Amino acid sequence: KMLVDVAAWQVINSMRMERIQFNQLCLQNVANVYRKNAYLALLRGFENFKVNEKLEDIHLRRCLQVFREPIEFTVEAGVPKRRDFEETINTKVEANKHLIYGEKDMSIIHTVLSQVSRRKSKEKELSAEPAPSVVSSSSSEGNRSGDRRSAARRRLATSLTNLGHFFDAEQVQEQEQEREQQQEQEQEQEIEIEKYVDL
């Protein structure tokens, strides 16, 4: 039994890591769409940047903001509400829609969203399927072994389902923290801009 549990734990952890990598890759693919456009805008407007002068072009400031990665050290006081991964992607797209141009950019985003939807539906199908049954043998030892394997598969399927819900909630919490950090940074920048204007 212990060997089955260890093997199940290893499978669950490897699946968890692959899911996290898939989600991160999807976020990076979506972010690349508006980051590329921001980079091109910065290249075109580089002559507007001066050493001791405030940048007047709001669009270029927004383009710079896209490349800032906020770091948060606060700990959440409560359990965050679960948020769908597609909703997280849509939030990022909405926050950066000023840097998404045309159908080509939107087709990339729709491709990523369709991949996420397919993965989500596949996970639902797998979690809804009953555990596979083992062909019964004539000996009672074979039946007991088959029953143990079947029970282990059922425990693994249940664990995978529960684990998936837990990690979705964890990702949502991280994404909400990132959004709050971005809002705080924007407020700080506005205060800094107001200080420069008052001078």
Side-chain angles (χ1 to χ4, degrees):
K1 181 179 180 331
M2 180 177 267
L3 289 176
V4 171
D5 290 341
V6 168
W9 178 79
Q10 289 178 334
V11 168
I12 289 170
N13 278 338
S14 66
M15 292 173 78
R16 183 187 127 235
M17 292 306 296
E18 287 181 20
R19 170 189 257 177
I20 290 171
Q21 290 173 3
F22 174 80
N23 289 347
Q24 188 63 35
L25 180 63
C26 289
L27 287 174
Q28 287 173 352
N29 286 342
V30 169
N32 280 345
V33 170
Y34 54 82
R35 282 184 171 181
K36 284 180 183 179
N37 292 332
Y39 179 70
L40 292 174
L42 290 171
L43 284 178
R44 285 190 300 266
F46 76 93
E47 65 275 350
N48 293 326
F49 292 93
K50 308 285 191 251
V51 175
N52 292 324
E53 293 180 23
K54 183 177 82 166
L55 181 62
E56 297 294 331
D57 191 345
I58 294 172
H59 179 68
L60 287 179
R61 275 196 241 155
R62 284 177 148 185
C63 290
L64 276 175
Q65 188 65 26
V66 167
F67 293 101
R68 288 193 171 179
E69 294 288 335
I71 298 173
E72 181 68 35
F73 295 105
T74 60
V75 177
E76 195 71 29
V79 177
K81 293 180 182 177
R82 184 173 182 215
R83 198 172 79 176
D84 192 36
F85 185 60
E86 288 178 71
E87 183 182 331
T88 302
I89 291 175
N90 287 326
T91 303
K92 285 194 171 285
V93 168
E94 188 64 30
N96 296 290
K97 66 182 176 186
H98 62 281
L99 291 169
I100 298 172
Y101 310 129
E103 282 299 314
K104 184 178 178 186
D105 291 348
M106 286 308 294
S107 69
I108 295 170
I109 292 169
H110 289 306
T111 301
V112 171
L113 286 171
S114 67
Q115 289 173 343
V116 170
S117 297
R118 279 197 305 267
R119 187 209 69 191
K120 185 178 175 182
S121 63
K122 204 62 153 159
E123 285 177 355
K124 284 183 181 179
E125 287 175 17
L126 290 174
S127 65
E129 286 181 5
S133 60
V134 178
V135 177
S136 60
S137 64
S138 59
S139 69
S140 61
E141 182 64 35
N143 286 337
R144 280 194 300 252
S145 174
D147 290 342
R148 278 186 256 140
R149 281 189 224 125
S150 179
R153 287 185 181 129
R154 274 188 248 112
R155 282 196 312 267
L156 178 61
T158 304
S159 299
L160 289 173
T161 303
N162 294 338
L163 192 63
H165 295 304
F166 171 76
F167 287 111
D168 283 345
E170 185 177 311
Q171 284 179 339
V172 168
Q173 177 185 2
E174 291 173 2
Q175 292 159 357
E176 286 176 357
Q177 287 176 349
E178 288 176 5
R179 208 172 339 123
E180 289 173 3
Q181 291 170 356
Q182 288 176 344
Q183 289 173 350
E184 288 175 8
Q185 285 183 348
E186 288 172 2
Q187 289 173 352
E188 290 173 4
Q189 286 180 345
E190 289 174 6
I191 291 171
E192 288 179 21
I193 290 171
E194 289 174 4
K195 286 179 184 178
Y196 286 119
V197 170
D198 290 341
L199 293 177

